[in-house]
Amino acid sequence: MACNLLLIAQSDHVHLADFQALASEICDVAPDVHAYAIWDQSYDWETIDSALDRPSFSFCPVPVRAFKPWRGPLLQCRRLYKSEEYAALQQADVPLPCWGLLTPDSKPDLDGFGPYVVVKPDWSGRGADVKIMRRGRVRWHPPTTDYTRRLQGDAGNWIVQEFIYTGPQPVSYRVTTLFGEPLWGWKVTADRTRRPLRHRYDFRQGETGGGMSIVSSGKGCVFSLIDEPDLADLARRAHRAFPDIPVLGVDMVRDIESDRLYVIEVNAGGYTWHVASKVGRRIQQDFAFDIEARFNIRQRVARILAEQARRHAR
């Protein structure tokens, strides 16, 4: 049975032209799925072409702002607290660093966390307010950056997390998944001019209150594309914990001594469609790689979305 697939674009993240090209690809690989790329805005559905009044399914890789479907379900990304992400991942038996929630009124039991821990906001991003700290010095405090204060105010909670040593310079990985299928991955290596952390506990006085960043991204960092089966497998497992969120950017770290992988975030709020976003295009240009060419994204995404439309259109 024929169905519609509506691809919802936002100019500051996924431009309409990119989704128009994807819609054309979907129509080529799945003639029974009528794909349309439209802006994230309100529509007067009473005046639409009758062709759109078919079983429909709508997709957006970010939270929608104004769009409401005429019929059928809409799957979009939605922001979660990090503690919500971790609880879902823990329930799915996905490997995580040990973690606890620090609130204005309660402190987690940090036995077994090691002498240094990572403290970061429960609701923030971009590495804001992420600090390394001696375990015994962990206390609740207001955020220090405007970015975190805008998102969670002055009285928000903190995540306290086991420190994972990824090498002399911080290294992290991200695999972007669509309905549980890995699409592409990249590695982020911190600026190599930063003072190296020669071993797991090579912190100096003053660096354990935020003086030394343990975040891999930031000024001077290096992005490179990766295609590693163990990272893809772990990202696939992580996505199973969030079946109603279409796109995840699964961030992982690897302990350089044990070689164990850990998930540290899944970015359920979206804004990780970097094959076509402004941020993603700039990264690809700066580091001379092409996600689409390397991973054949458009054709793979077309097949995944067509299958989802057949399954969910109403």
Side-chain angles (χ1 to χ4, degrees), residues 278-309:
K278 290 182 179 177
V279 170
R281 289 188 187 281
R282 186 176 69 248
I283 290 171
Q284 292 178 77
Q285 181 177 4
D286 288 348
F287 295 97
F289 58 70
D290 185 330
I291 295 174
E292 165 63 40
R294 171 77 177 272
F295 295 101
N296 190 24
I297 298 298
R298 189 173 298 158
Q299 187 173 77
R300 293 169 60 210
V301 168
R303 294 186 183 280
I304 292 170
L305 289 178
E307 180 56 34
Q308 293 296 318

Side-chain angles (χ1 to χ4, degrees), residues 16-304:
L16 188 67
D18 297 299
F19 268 4
Q20 286 173 333
L22 178 58
S24 178
E25 183 72 29
I26 291 168
C27 293
D28 287 342
V29 302
D32 58 313
V33 178
H34 300 265
Y36 303 87
I38 61 176
W39 285 119
D40 180 6
Q41 62 188 42
S42 60
Y43 292 89
D44 180 6
W45 294 116
E46 298 293 341
T47 64
I48 63 170
D49 189 292
S50 60
L52 282 179
D53 192 18
R54 281 189 289 248
S56 298
F57 172 69
S58 302
F59 160 77
C60 189
V62 294
V64 300
R65 297 167 181 161
F67 172 81
K68 293 183 180 179
W70 166 251
R71 61 181 292 180
L74 161 66
L75 262 68
Q76 60 181 313
C77 292
R78 58 185 175 88
R79 290 201 66 172
L80 300 173
Y81 287 95
K82 288 184 175 67
S83 55
E84 292 181 282
E85 292 187 359
Y86 292 165
L89 291 165
Q90 217 162 19
Q91 183 69 25
D93 201 28
V94 173
L96 299 169
C98 296
W99 70 280
L101 190 64
L102 176 65
T103 76
D105 303 314
S106 64
K107 179 180 176 181
D109 181 0
L110 300 181
D111 287 347
F113 276 54
Y116 296 97
V117 295
V118 178
V119 180
K120 57 188 177 182
D122 194 21
W123 184 276
S124 191
R126 302 180 183 174
D129 279 294
V130 179
K131 298 181 178 181
I132 190 77
M133 188 174 294
R134 282 190 177 274
R135 186 179 66 182
R137 296 178 59 187
V138 172
R139 304 286 188 276
W140 184 90
H141 59 281
T144 61
T145 66
D146 291 339
Y147 182 77
T148 301
R149 281 196 293 267
R150 285 199 305 270
L151 290 179
Q152 69 170 33
D154 288 326
N157 298 329
W158 297 87
I159 296 291
V160 184
Q161 196 171 60
E162 174 189 10
F163 170 62
I164 305 299
Y165 179 54
T166 62
Q169 301 294 351
V171 175
S172 66
Y173 308 90
R174 174 175 293 179
V175 173
T176 300
T177 55
L178 176 64
F179 293 100
E181 286 303 311
L183 296 178
W184 72 84
W186 64 33
K187 175 182 178 180
V188 186
T189 305
D191 182 358
R192 295 189 181 278
T193 65
R194 284 161 50 171
R195 184 183 81 78
L197 194 66
R198 293 182 296 269
H199 56 79
R200 186 179 298 271
Y201 303 130
D202 184 29
F203 296 105
R204 297 173 182 171
Q205 187 174 4
E207 291 180 337
T208 54
M212 184 175 192
S213 174
I214 46 81
V215 177
S216 61
S217 58
K219 184 177 180 180
C221 70
V222 176
F223 286 78
S224 57
L225 293 182
I226 54 169
D227 187 5
E228 298 184 18
D230 57 345
L231 292 168
D233 288 346
L234 183 53
R236 189 180 288 111
R237 287 175 57 192
H239 202 138
R240 292 188 193 121
F242 306 91
D244 61 334
I245 298 180
V247 177
L248 295 179
V250 183
D251 290 336
M252 293 164 278
V253 292
R254 188 189 299 275
D255 188 298
I256 196 171
E257 295 172 353
S258 69
D259 204 41
R260 289 192 62 189
L261 281 172
Y262 299 88
V263 174
I264 56 171
E265 194 167 352
V266 299
N267 296 283
Y271 305 103
T272 58
W273 197 256
H274 293 320
V275 67
S277 70
K278 290 182 179 177
V279 170
R281 289 188 187 281
R282 186 176 69 248
I283 290 171
Q284 292 178 77
Q285 181 177 4
D286 288 348
F287 295 97
F289 58 70
D290 185 330
I291 295 174
E292 165 63 40
R294 171 77 177 272
F295 295 101
N296 190 24
I297 298 298
R298 189 173 298 158
Q299 187 173 77
R300 293 169 60 210
V301 168
R303 294 186 183 280
I304 292 170

